[in-house]
């Protein structure tokens, strides 16, 4: 993995004072943050490349789900229509006529 350094390394000093150690800690923290962001970007890039390799691989499942929901709604509508009194009488008259013809 590549090493990213946000800030250049600080020069070596014989006796670092408190400002040098503070800036060294800040520099170290910033470099750690850059490294974490870089690794997360690499993971995101890999996920995006995987998803874009076959963008329609999950479409069949989604299409089946949409068709199933539409069919369930249509079945509910038919049940509501067939339960009405007028439609029931119409269907009963059709069945009686079909049985009387024979």
């Amino acid at each position: 993995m590549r090493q990213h350094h946000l800030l250049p390394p600080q020069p070596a000093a014989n006796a670092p004072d408190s400002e040098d150690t503070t800036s060294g800690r800040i520099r170290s923290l910033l470099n750690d943050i850059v490294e974490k962001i870089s690794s997360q970007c690499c993971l995101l890039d890999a996920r995006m490349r995987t998803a874009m390799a076959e963008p329609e691989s999950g479409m069949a499942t989604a299409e089946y789900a949409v068709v199933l929901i539409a069919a369930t709604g249509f079945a509910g509508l038919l049940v509501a229509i067939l339960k009405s009194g007028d439609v029931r009488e119409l269907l009963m008259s059709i069945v009686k006529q079909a049985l009387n013809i024979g």
Side-chain angles (χ1 to χ4, degrees), residues 15-25:
D17 58 3
S18 63
E19 183 178 323
D20 288 339
T21 58
T22 303
S23 66
R25 282 188 224 141

Side-chain angles (χ1 to χ4, degrees), residues 12-100:
N14 292 341
D17 58 3
S18 63
E19 183 178 323
D20 288 339
T21 58
T22 303
S23 66
R25 282 188 224 141
I26 292 172
R27 182 169 290 149
S28 176
L29 287 172
L30 288 175
N31 286 332
D32 289 344
I33 290 170
V34 168
E35 186 64 34
K36 288 177 184 177
I37 290 172
S38 175
S39 67
Q40 290 299 317
C41 286
C42 289
L43 289 173
L44 180 62
D45 181 53
R47 287 181 188 144
M48 288 178 60
R49 287 177 189 267
T50 301
M52 296 307 291
E54 296 180 34
E56 294 185 13
S57 63
M59 288 301 292
T61 304
E63 289 167 358
Y64 286 130
V66 170
V67 169
L68 183 62
I69 291 170
T72 304
F74 186 67
L77 180 66
L78 283 177
V79 167
I81 290 172
L82 293 176
K83 281 188 173 184
S84 70
D86 294 335
V87 174
R88 184 178 291 172
E89 288 179 25
L90 178 65
L91 289 175
M92 288 300 284
S93 67
I94 291 172
V95 170
K96 285 180 183 178
Q97 285 178 359
L99 292 175
N100 288 336

